[in-house]
Amino acid sequence: MSHPNSRGERRALSRKLDRRIDHKAQTNRRFGIEKNWKKIYLRRNKLQRARQLGKIWPHREWKQLMAETEPLRILFVCSRNRLRSPTGEAVFNQIEGIDARSGGTARDADHQVDMDDIRWAELIICMEAKHANRLKADFRQAVAHKRIRVIDVPDNYKFMQDELVTLLRERVMPLIDRIE
């Protein structure tokens, strides 16, 4: 059989050959193995294959696993950031799984709370209600979806005073346990 010269001859030949070859059967069968496409794309099969490869799939499960390994970020807030909130930061930075910072709401604070602190924190712990109100007034949109808790610790303690440390542990640990 000679090679067809015109386009019409080539089309007629391809139609003739297409009738002899079952293209569907040929594309589904590779190396003598018949593939069942419904089984290949089932979620449990994908998940099993991802586990075999050592990958986490789907992404939502990966996020959940990573959230369990990341430390809880707590921001302690008082007025001038000299006594209460630095004590909270020092005490809770020693606990594994917690990352703490501190800041003050007053203009003359050692470290005044700024937008980076608010964005960084997952939980904001205010020593008094006036600190929470100040944060809500200054950073209204940024704190709208943040967890802010007031623990009512008066301003009559020294830095790292034993009574202050025990009071902070008593009032903050239940808040952390509820989150985790």
Side-chain angles (χ1 to χ4, degrees):
M1 185 171 156
S2 65
H3 187 73
N5 294 327
S6 69
R7 181 187 299 169
E9 289 176 3
R10 287 193 301 266
R11 284 183 179 166
L13 183 62
S14 70
R15 280 193 299 267
K16 184 178 174 184
L17 292 175
D18 275 346
R19 289 186 194 124
R20 287 191 297 177
I21 300 170
D22 184 9
H23 290 286
K24 280 190 174 181
Q26 194 175 28
T27 56
N28 286 342
R29 190 173 50 245
R30 179 178 265 176
F31 306 113
I33 301 170
E34 188 72 30
K35 289 187 179 179
N36 189 344
W37 292 102
K38 289 180 183 175
K39 289 183 179 175
I40 290 174
Y41 287 105
L42 286 176
R43 178 183 169 87
R44 68 172 183 266
N45 294 341
K46 285 184 181 180
L47 187 56
Q48 182 181 6
R49 183 65 181 141
R51 285 186 183 134
Q52 287 174 349
L53 296 173
K55 295 183 178 182
I56 306 293
W57 182 87
H59 188 68
R60 184 175 57 237
E61 292 176 10
W62 173 255
K63 275 183 158 181
Q64 184 180 4
L65 286 173
M66 291 308 293
E68 293 171 2
T69 60
E70 291 178 4
L72 176 65
R73 296 184 303 264
I74 303 175
L75 176 64
F76 289 94
V77 179
C78 69
S79 296
R80 293 176 28 191
N81 193 32
R82 295 198 177 125
L83 303 173
R84 296 175 287 174
S85 60
T87 302
E89 178 182 7
V91 168
F92 285 93
N93 266 334
Q94 295 172 355
I95 299 174
E96 188 176 333
I98 296 177
D99 194 10
R101 287 187 190 175
S102 64
T105 56
R107 302 285 178 229
D108 63 338
D110 286 354
H111 171 74
Q112 189 175 0
V113 176
D114 57 1
M115 186 63 82
D116 292 333
D117 294 329
I118 300 293
R119 286 186 187 134
W120 173 84
E122 293 176 42
L123 173 65
I124 301 172
I125 296 180
C126 298
M127 299 298 161
E128 297 177 37
K130 66 180 181 180
H131 303 131
N133 293 336
R134 182 68 180 261
L135 289 177
K136 289 174 185 174
D138 291 347
F139 306 102
R140 183 176 49 150
Q141 290 180 340
V143 298
H145 301 289
K146 296 284 182 173
R147 289 180 287 221
I148 300 176
R149 302 294 182 259
V150 178
I151 57 173
D152 293 321
V153 176
D155 193 15
N156 54 3
Y157 296 103
K158 296 189 185 315
F159 178 70
M160 293 301 286
Q161 188 176 348
D162 291 335
E163 292 85 14
L164 177 59
V165 171
T166 56
L167 186 63
L168 284 172
R169 283 191 178 144
E170 286 174 2
R171 295 191 179 171
V172 174
M173 288 308 283
L175 299 174
I176 294 171
D177 292 338
R178 270 190 242 144
I179 291 170
E180 295 176 341

